[in-house]
């Protein structure tokens, strides 16, 4: 609910800000662009912190632009800057220091590039920082008092070590976010290139004043490069650039002619056609017979999504050819959004290979309130969610390493420790890979199988 709600509110605020900055038409089209961008739609359906953080960072960005726009009165500047400071505080509460460090760095870069040092006089630093601290500080203070180790874990390990090292095992090459952006901004990829190329040009009447488009461009480029240099990468990390891109693309679309838009969306028709042709090939990703059947079902959903996308793109091409640009944009955005929703709905057909829901339902009748439950050599977050209880990790730490260091008695370091503990338990449960189950069976460990999934076996003591 949080991801979906903040994602939807982000679209509304983007429409509002773009309308105030660039006009009503740009507001409508910016909302259409953001709401139909593939990555934004996907992340709005995922249970993660990134969409909420993007909403607050995007809210801070757009409030800042509204405060600094030429012609803004002092009360208007004061109001929107304090909204921006509050949004920054909530973005820090959402996901840490990046919620203040990245926007601050962009402001510094903008003032250096534009030599607009007078901007700092309009930031309301004193009252803004007080508001920021009033919102953000109480929780950090309270949790640090309750957990003295929190400061090092959160500020050092989860920020500096995550960025500078490969400690989280999420290292990818520097160019990794390029294909993520290319696919994530669809169907607006080629319009994006055109928008970025024109955003650096001098804005009419803004030679000496604040340049919102240039600020948006600096925001986009800096955040993209920042995460590209990070030692830890996930696709959702670049989501905060999407509201900025939507503003740039929406403003550009408000002035584009039909012929130019026609050529920018023509490649999208080829991509949709490719989706139709390649959909049956998704079964090649299956590595078991059960998974093969599920991928075959998913292929049908992918066919439907590609067909919707292709029909919408063709209709948009016809409208743009007739110079009905607004209608073409709305049709393309709506069909892209519907296609993405169909794709996401179809993804449920892969649940047995992506989630422990099915095996959790088999395990539930065997649960007892005080019985230990061991997870060997791995940890699936969906299992504990559906079982409504925690598990004891065996020969596995990953991101739980810090917590294990604080409470080592809640962990078993290796399989041999598990075997010694298992035979002493009057009643216990465990889950493991099929391979580990076969090995322990050959070693004579007494176990009774209670559930199986595509890749796991669940057992209990005999």
């Amino acid at each position: 609910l949080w991801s979906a709600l903040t994602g939807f509110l982000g679209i509304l605020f983007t429409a509002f800000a773009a309308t105030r900055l660039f006009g009503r038409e740009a507001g409508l089209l910016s909302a259409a662009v953001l709401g139909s961008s593939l990555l934004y739609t996907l992340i709005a359906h995922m249970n993660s912190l990134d969409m909420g953080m993007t909403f607050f960072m995007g809210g801070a960005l757009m409030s800042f632009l509204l405060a600094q726009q030429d012609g803004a009165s002092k009360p208007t500047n004061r109001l929107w800057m304090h909204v921006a400071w509050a949004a920054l505080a909530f973005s820090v509460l959402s996901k840490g220091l990046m919620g203040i460090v990245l926007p601050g760095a962009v402001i510094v870069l903008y003032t250096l590039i534009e030599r607009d040092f007078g901007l700092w006089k309009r930031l309301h630093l004193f009252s803004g920082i007080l508001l920021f601290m009033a919102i953000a500080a109480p929780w950090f203070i309270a949790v640090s008092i309750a957990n003295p180790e929190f400061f090092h874990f959160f500020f050092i390990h989860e920020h500096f070590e995550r960025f500078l090292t490969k400690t989280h095992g999420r290292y990818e090459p520097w160019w990794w976010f390029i294909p993520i952006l290319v696919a994530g901004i669809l169907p607006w990829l080629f319009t994006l290139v055109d928008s970025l190329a024109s955003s650096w040009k001098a804005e009419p009447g803004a030679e000496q004043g604040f340049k919102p488009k240039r600020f948006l461009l600096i925001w986009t480029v800096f955040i993209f490069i920042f995460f590209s240099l990070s030692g830890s990468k996930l696709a959702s990390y670049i989501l905060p650039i999407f509201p900025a891109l939507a503003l740039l693309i929406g403003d550009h679309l408000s002035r584009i002619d039909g012929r130019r838009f026609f050529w920018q969306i023509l490649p999208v028709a080829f991509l949709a056609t490719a989706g139709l042709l390649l959909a049956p090939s998704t079964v090649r990703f299956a590595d078991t017979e059960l998974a093969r059947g599920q991928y075959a079902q998913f292929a049908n959903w992918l066919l439907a999504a590609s067909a919707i996308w292709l029909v919408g793109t063709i209709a948009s091409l016809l409208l743009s050819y007739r110079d009905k640009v607004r209608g073409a944009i709305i049709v393309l955005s709506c069909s892209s959004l519907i296609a993405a929703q169909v794709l996401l709905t179809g993804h449920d057909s892969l649940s047995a290979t992506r989630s422990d829901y099915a095996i959790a339902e088999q395990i539930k009748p065997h649960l007892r309130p005080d019985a230990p439950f061991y997870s060997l050599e791995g940890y699936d977050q969906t299992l504990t969610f559906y079982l409504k209880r925690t598990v004891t990790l065996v020969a596995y730490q990953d991101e739980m390493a810090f917590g294990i260091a604080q409470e080592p008695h809640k962990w078993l370091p290796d399989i041999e420790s598990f075997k010694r503990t298992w035979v002493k338990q009057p009643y216990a449960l465990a889950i493991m890979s099929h391979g580990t189950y076969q090995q322990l069976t050959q070693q004579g460990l007494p176990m009774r199988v209670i559930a199986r999934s595509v890749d796991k076996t669940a057992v209990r003591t005999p």
Side-chain angles (χ1 to χ4, degrees), residues 210-280:
F210 180 72
K211 303 178 179 64
K213 296 179 194 175
R214 192 163 291 187
F215 190 91
L216 289 168
L217 182 60
I218 294 172
W219 174 283
T220 298
V221 173
F222 173 76
I223 294 178
F224 186 85
I225 292 176
F226 177 88
F227 285 115
S228 295
L229 297 177
S230 172
S232 179
K233 295 182 178 70
L234 288 176
S236 57
Y237 286 179
I238 62 168
L239 197 64
I241 73 174
F242 275 66
L245 292 178
L247 285 170
L248 291 173
I249 296 172
D251 174 65
H252 184 70
L253 287 174
S254 67
R255 299 186 307 275
I256 200 170
D257 61 78
R259 177 166 297 185
R260 191 179 187 91
F261 186 61
F262 177 94
W263 290 109
Q264 290 179 3
I265 61 174
L266 182 61
V268 178
F270 292 105
L271 290 174
T273 302
L276 281 172
L277 298 176
L278 296 175

Side-chain angles (χ1 to χ4, degrees), residues 215-428:
F215 190 91
L216 289 168
L217 182 60
I218 294 172
W219 174 283
T220 298
V221 173
F222 173 76
I223 294 178
F224 186 85
I225 292 176
F226 177 88
F227 285 115
S228 295
L229 297 177
S230 172
S232 179
K233 295 182 178 70
L234 288 176
S236 57
Y237 286 179
I238 62 168
L239 197 64
I241 73 174
F242 275 66
L245 292 178
L247 285 170
L248 291 173
I249 296 172
D251 174 65
H252 184 70
L253 287 174
S254 67
R255 299 186 307 275
I256 200 170
D257 61 78
R259 177 166 297 185
R260 191 179 187 91
F261 186 61
F262 177 94
W263 290 109
Q264 290 179 3
I265 61 174
L266 182 61
V268 178
F270 292 105
L271 290 174
T273 302
L276 281 172
L277 298 176
L278 296 175
S281 301
T282 55
V283 294
R284 296 178 182 177
F285 293 99
D287 52 6
T288 66
E289 192 59 35
L290 175 59
R292 185 178 179 84
Q294 293 177 343
Y295 273 96
Q297 294 180 37
F298 180 64
N300 294 327
W301 288 94
L302 182 55
L303 278 170
S306 300
I308 292 169
W309 200 25
L310 179 59
V311 170
T313 305
I314 292 173
S316 181
L317 286 168
L318 292 174
L319 287 169
S320 60
Y321 185 78
R322 297 175 181 175
D323 208 30
K324 297 180 179 180
V325 179
R326 183 179 184 182
I329 294 169
I330 298 301
V331 168
L332 180 62
S333 61
C334 289
S335 60
S336 298
L337 175 60
I338 294 170
Q341 298 288 1
V342 170
L343 190 66
L344 285 162
T345 303
H347 190 262
D348 286 345
S349 60
L350 300 176
S351 61
T353 61
R354 295 288 185 271
S355 167
D356 275 352
Y357 172 78
I359 195 171
E361 291 299 303
Q362 299 176 59
I363 293 171
K364 280 182 179 179
H366 301 274
L367 292 176
R368 295 180 186 176
D370 300 324
F373 195 122
Y374 302 97
S375 179
L376 278 62
E377 301 176 318
Y379 174 68
D380 192 311
Q381 296 180 23
T382 62
L383 179 69
T384 52
F385 173 80
Y386 290 119
L387 292 181
K388 304 300 180 187
R389 59 157 296 163
T390 58
V391 296
T392 299
L393 298 180
V394 179
Y396 185 82
Q397 294 192 45
D398 195 50
E399 291 190 322
M400 277 69 71
F402 181 84
I404 288 170
Q406 311 306 313
E407 299 177 305
H409 60 282
K410 295 184 178 180
W411 173 68
L412 295 177
D414 50 48
I415 297 297
E416 290 302 317
S417 300
F418 164 74
K419 290 163 62 177
R420 291 192 297 269
T421 305
W422 180 261
V423 296
K424 297 177 182 178
Q425 297 287 354
Y427 186 83

Side-chain angles (χ1 to χ4, degrees), residues 85-324:
W85 281 106
L88 290 175
F90 285 115
S91 68
V92 169
L93 287 171
S94 296
K95 209 174 180 182
L97 292 178
M98 63 176 288
I100 186 71
V101 171
L102 297 186
V106 173
I107 292 175
V108 171
L109 283 174
Y110 176 85
T111 55
L112 291 176
I113 292 171
E114 292 297 314
R115 301 185 183 278
D116 184 9
F117 299 101
L119 172 67
W120 290 82
K121 299 177 182 179
R122 305 190 298 273
L123 297 183
H124 296 275
L125 287 171
F126 181 74
S127 58
I129 291 174
L130 286 179
L131 177 61
F132 174 89
M133 296 300 292
I135 295 172
W139 185 87
F140 286 104
I141 293 171
V143 76
S144 297
I145 293 173
N147 305 274
E149 69 279 4
F150 172 81
F151 181 87
H152 178 272
F153 173 73
F154 185 75
F155 291 104
I156 306 301
H157 178 72
E158 286 295 303
H159 285 83
F160 294 100
E161 290 182 7
R162 181 184 288 268
F163 181 82
L164 297 173
T165 70
K166 303 175 185 178
T167 184
H168 285 277
R170 295 172 178 171
Y171 176 76
E172 301 291 347
W174 64 268
W175 49 262
W176 191 73
F177 282 119
I178 296 176
I180 299 297
L181 177 59
V182 167
I185 200 64
L186 287 173
W188 312 105
L189 174 61
F190 297 96
T191 309
L192 167 64
V193 176
D194 196 18
S195 302
L196 294 180
S198 62
S199 62
W200 189 257
K201 298 177 182 178
E203 300 173 36
E207 289 78 4
Q208 302 299 323
F210 180 72
K211 303 178 179 64
K213 296 179 194 175
R214 192 163 291 187
F215 190 91
L216 289 168
L217 182 60
I218 294 172
W219 174 283
T220 298
V221 173
F222 173 76
I223 294 178
F224 186 85
I225 292 176
F226 177 88
F227 285 115
S228 295
L229 297 177
S230 172
S232 179
K233 295 182 178 70
L234 288 176
S236 57
Y237 286 179
I238 62 168
L239 197 64
I241 73 174
F242 275 66
L245 292 178
L247 285 170
L248 291 173
I249 296 172
D251 174 65
H252 184 70
L253 287 174
S254 67
R255 299 186 307 275
I256 200 170
D257 61 78
R259 177 166 297 185
R260 191 179 187 91
F261 186 61
F262 177 94
W263 290 109
Q264 290 179 3
I265 61 174
L266 182 61
V268 178
F270 292 105
L271 290 174
T273 302
L276 281 172
L277 298 176
L278 296 175
S281 301
T282 55
V283 294
R284 296 178 182 177
F285 293 99
D287 52 6
T288 66
E289 192 59 35
L290 175 59
R292 185 178 179 84
Q294 293 177 343
Y295 273 96
Q297 294 180 37
F298 180 64
N300 294 327
W301 288 94
L302 182 55
L303 278 170
S306 300
I308 292 169
W309 200 25
L310 179 59
V311 170
T313 305
I314 292 173
S316 181
L317 286 168
L318 292 174
L319 287 169
S320 60
Y321 185 78
R322 297 175 181 175
D323 208 30
K324 297 180 179 180

